[in-house]
Amino acid sequence: MAGEFPARRACFIVSMLSLLSALPAPAAHAQAIRSTASVPQEGDWRTIADDQLLVMRLSGNRTIIIRLAPDYAPEHVANIRAMALAHWWDGQAINRVQDNWVVQWGDAAKRPLPASVKPYPAAEYDFAAMPIVQRLPKADAYSAFAGISADGWPMASDGAKSWIAHCYATVGVGREDAPDTGSGAELFMPLGGSARRLDRNYTVIGRVIEGAPYLSALPRSLGKWGFYDNPADFTPIETIRLASDMPESERPRFQYRAADNARFAALIAEKLHPRPPMVALGGMDVCDVPLEVRRLP
Amino acid sequence: MAGEFPARRACFIVSMLSLLSALPAPAAHAQAIRSTASVPQEGDWRTIADDQLLVMRLSGNRTIIIRLAPDYAPEHVANIRAMALAHWWDGQAINRVQDNWVVQWGDAAKRPLPASVKPYPAAEYDFAAMPIVQRLPKADAYSAFAGISADGWPMASDGAKSWIAHCYATVGVGREDAPDTGSGAELFMPLGGSARRLDRNYTVIGRVIEGAPYLSALPRSLGKWGFYDNPADFTPIETIRLASDMPESERPRFQYRAADNARFAALIAEKLHPRPPMVALGGMDVCDVPLEVRRLP
């Protein structure tokens, strides 16, 4: 490989694919389109309420922040808020890391649930609302169409019902056999695309918006179902808190990028039409649409 | 959550999805179908030639085994064999782990390539052959249709050309700007589904068939493009060898499960029709079809 830094240059293109795609046009023009059409305006950033942020702390100052989805899974989110307010997860653990599947945490200590938690909330696997505002041009294998909701969630639909897709970094509810649904005590984050096959069969309650690598890089277990056979391998959870329950000075503050605007449409168009000689593929997976957030001071 | 071991039971269903699905039928019958129709016959297992197995050793007795794809990327595989035979990778390193994207290794030391290596082999991004024998019922966002080749590779097609899909655990060639293609010195493994957007733009040379978790669980870098800023964070490669270049007593021996048979079709059918009350989704992603291998003594 030629070039002064071939290793870095070799990766440059891989990385640029995710960043430097543009509407098909001469390169200079494409750059101009890219730099204006898809840049969010200030009003595209919308604040996430304090009671929609769940803050999980692991040892070693590892913090994972989850945006909750109360509009799509109200009963489960109510349970999760109750457990967080009761500090019920403190001292629980990450007890499962199954390669190319999920990392899971929660009820390792088998504690009784707080009285305010419903052990069997309603299944919230899909819903009649149709919140997709940015529809992608090509379907995927798990839905009739897919796209992004105004409030920045990756969604799929069969045309009648819709649901949050089990993308990397979404957070789902572990559960027992149907028709029961889990309480929310046990949560999982997909590690790859394979979890899409859980769509419409599991409740998605949110999405990790910061710190996902602290979960994705944990050692895989070779035990049954990916559970660690030895509790010494568990990763202890120090605390899980609702941001609204934290001292104001410690609360993380986040905004998400809303999708109900032309800038977001341009962002998708740029991804769909990479700059030649890159070959366009006709579509992109809903889990590959960048869902940006930003931290406020 | 009820049950004596709710945490384990909660995960049971998540895991069972991948293992205990069946054709729609009364449960007892479904079990019977599953236990016979999709079980491979002895002849479905086919031996992978010694010169199609690449053995990468990291410290701590971590071994990663890659099945090469010379039928689909002959020039790149020729290069890779030449580099392995020259022991060219020994002492190189894994220098990039970018979350939800790729882990990459190879040319960290910027050594001159062996004389037998073509610095610029032909692009082998796609090919005119149509090797898919098990076609999946629903397209994905990146192709017109997808499926599995007789020799067990995950493939996608636009109807005219086909290519190996950038699924988790496939191995691609890092490269410089098009129309040049990489030599094969620098290789990457996708960590999730996002790498599908590299289809038809990068050469796939193989697939990790053992040890993928040693790559997927490496600490993520927050450096630019996911490269480690500090070489001290690199994971050194002890050796990379072709199995055919190893002493016979040390050679790993593997067989893959061929897909050109009714047992494989039944496997896909079972995945597409999970046992009620699980909701079927109409399709499955090509990257979610299990591509089994087995180790021979």
Side-chain angles (χ1 to χ4, degrees):
Chain A
M1 297 162 81
E4 198 176 350
F5 302 105
R8 298 221 166 221
R9 287 196 58 200
C11 304
F12 180 75
I13 297 305
V14 174
S15 304
M16 294 308 268
L17 262 178
S18 60
L19 296 166
L20 280 192
S21 56
L23 294 166
H29 186 209
Q31 183 72 40
I33 291 172
R34 185 172 55 252
S35 62
T36 56
S38 67
V39 173
Q41 293 181 355
E42 194 54 30
D44 297 345
W45 295 105
R46 307 207 185 136
T47 299
I48 303 173
D50 284 347
D51 66 352
Q52 295 183 21
L53 288 173
L54 200 64
V55 181
M56 174 159 66
R57 288 194 199 281
L58 309 177
S59 62
N61 209 22
R62 290 174 289 179
T63 300
I64 293 134
I65 297 182
I66 297 166
R67 179 187 177 197
L68 297 171
D71 291 345
Y72 305 107
E75 292 209 12
H76 287 83
V77 169
N79 270 2
I80 285 164
R81 285 173 171 155
M83 285 183 266
L85 290 171
H87 300 184
W88 183 82
W89 278 297
D90 299 9
Q92 299 272 16
I94 296 168
N95 57 343
R96 179 192 195 194
V97 185
Q98 188 167 6
D99 197 50
N100 195 32
W101 188 231
V102 297
V103 51
Q104 185 158 330
W105 64 92
D107 193 21
K110 320 283 185 298
R111 290 186 192 143
L113 292 171
S116 51
V117 168
K118 285 186 190 174
Y120 298 104
E124 296 173 314
Y125 304 158
D126 53 21
F127 31 83
M130 187 56 61
I132 293 172
V133 296
Q134 297 291 348
R135 184 166 161 167
L136 295 168
K138 283 197 66 188
D140 59 47
Y142 300 104
S143 64
F145 60 89
I148 309 299
S149 66
D151 51 352
W153 295 95
M155 297 262 176
S157 177
D158 66 355
K161 291 200 160 192
S162 42
W163 57 90
I164 300 180
H166 280 78
C167 298
Y168 173 75
T170 55
V171 178
V173 175
R175 64 164 170 82
E176 304 187 34
D177 205 350
D180 296 339
T181 186
S183 65
E186 190 86 13
L187 299 172
F188 66 85
M189 183 185 92
L191 286 170
S194 295
R196 281 300 303 281
R197 81 173 99 110
L198 301 181
D199 280 14
R200 308 194 77 176
N201 286 286
Y202 283 75
T203 298
V204 176
I205 58 87
R207 192 169 81 82
V208 175
I209 56 171
E210 192 175 278
Y214 293 130
L215 300 176
S216 61
L218 290 171
R220 274 53 175 163
S221 165
L222 303 177
K224 198 172 180 183
W225 314 128
F227 286 97
Y228 294 112
D229 287 328
N230 184 352
D233 294 331
F234 288 3
T235 300
I237 295 168
E238 293 186 346
T239 60
I240 295 185
R241 293 284 181 277
L242 266 183
S244 53
D245 188 37
M246 296 169 69
E248 202 147 344
S249 62
E250 294 175 20
R251 286 182 203 176
R253 293 174 204 282
F254 278 88
Q255 293 181 319
Y256 68 89
R257 180 176 176 177
D260 54 354
N261 54 74
R263 280 75 61 196
F264 206 97
L267 175 74
I268 290 175
E270 289 173 5
K271 298 281 180 191
L272 289 170
H273 302 287
R275 190 159 46 176
M278 293 298 301
V279 173
L281 299 165
M284 69 189 297
D285 194 89
V286 63
C287 294
D288 211 16
V289 178
L291 299 174
E292 295 168 78
V293 296
R294 67 179 187 185
R295 212 183 227 277
L296 298 184
Chain B
M1 298 164 79
E4 197 176 352
F5 302 105
R8 298 221 165 219
R9 288 196 59 199
C11 303
F12 180 75
I13 296 306
V14 174
S15 304
M16 293 308 269
L17 263 176
S18 59
L19 297 166
L20 279 192
S21 55
L23 294 164
H29 185 210
Q31 183 71 39
I33 290 173
R34 184 172 55 252
S35 62
T36 57
S38 66
V39 173
Q41 294 180 355
E42 193 55 29
D44 298 345
W45 295 104
R46 308 209 184 135
T47 298
I48 303 172
D50 284 347
D51 66 353
Q52 295 184 20
L53 288 173
L54 200 63
V55 181
M56 173 159 66
R57 289 194 197 278
L58 310 178
S59 61
N61 208 22
R62 291 173 289 179
T63 300
I64 292 134
I65 297 181
I66 296 166
R67 179 187 177 195
L68 296 171
D71 291 344
Y72 305 107
E75 293 210 9
H76 286 82
V77 169
N79 270 1
I80 286 163
R81 285 173 171 156
M83 286 183 265
L85 290 172
H87 300 185
W88 182 83
W89 277 297
D90 297 9
Q92 300 271 18
I94 296 168
N95 57 344
R96 179 192 196 194
V97 186
Q98 188 167 6
D99 196 51
N100 196 30
W101 189 232
V102 297
V103 52
Q104 187 158 329
W105 62 94
D107 194 21
K110 320 283 186 296
R111 291 186 191 143
L113 291 170
S116 51
V117 169
K118 286 187 189 175
Y120 299 104
E124 296 173 314
Y125 306 159
D126 52 22
F127 31 83
M130 187 55 61
I132 294 172
V133 295
Q134 296 292 347
R135 185 167 161 167
L136 295 168
K138 283 198 67 187
D140 59 48
Y142 299 103
S143 65
F145 59 90
I148 309 299
S149 67
D151 51 352
W153 296 94
M155 298 264 177
S157 176
D158 66 355
K161 291 202 159 191
S162 41
W163 56 91
I164 300 180
H166 281 77
C167 299
Y168 173 75
T170 56
V171 178
V173 175
R175 64 166 169 83
E176 305 186 33
D177 205 350
D180 295 339
T181 186
S183 65
E186 190 86 12
L187 299 172
F188 65 86
M189 183 186 90
L191 287 170
S194 295
R196 281 299 305 278
R197 80 173 100 109
L198 301 180
D199 279 15
R200 309 194 76 175
N201 286 287
Y202 283 74
T203 299
V204 176
I205 58 87
R207 192 168 80 82
V208 175
I209 57 172
E210 191 175 279
Y214 293 131
L215 300 176
S216 61
L218 289 171
R220 274 53 175 162
S221 165
L222 302 177
K224 197 172 180 183
W225 313 130
F227 287 97
Y228 293 112
D229 288 328
N230 185 352
D233 294 330
F234 289 3
T235 301
I237 295 167
E238 293 186 347
T239 60
I240 295 185
R241 293 283 181 278
L242 266 182
S244 53
D245 188 37
M246 296 169 68
E248 202 147 342
S249 63
E250 295 174 19
R251 286 182 203 175
R253 294 174 204 282
F254 278 88
Q255 293 180 321
Y256 68 88
R257 179 175 175 176
D260 54 355
N261 54 75
R263 280 75 60 198
F264 206 97
L267 175 74
I268 291 176
E270 290 173 4
K271 297 282 181 192
L272 289 170
H273 301 287
R275 189 160 47 175
M278 292 299 300
V279 173
L281 298 164
M284 68 188 298
D285 194 89
V286 64
C287 294
D288 211 16
V289 178
L291 298 174
E292 294 167 81
V293 296
R294 67 178 187 187
R295 210 183 229 277
L296 297 183

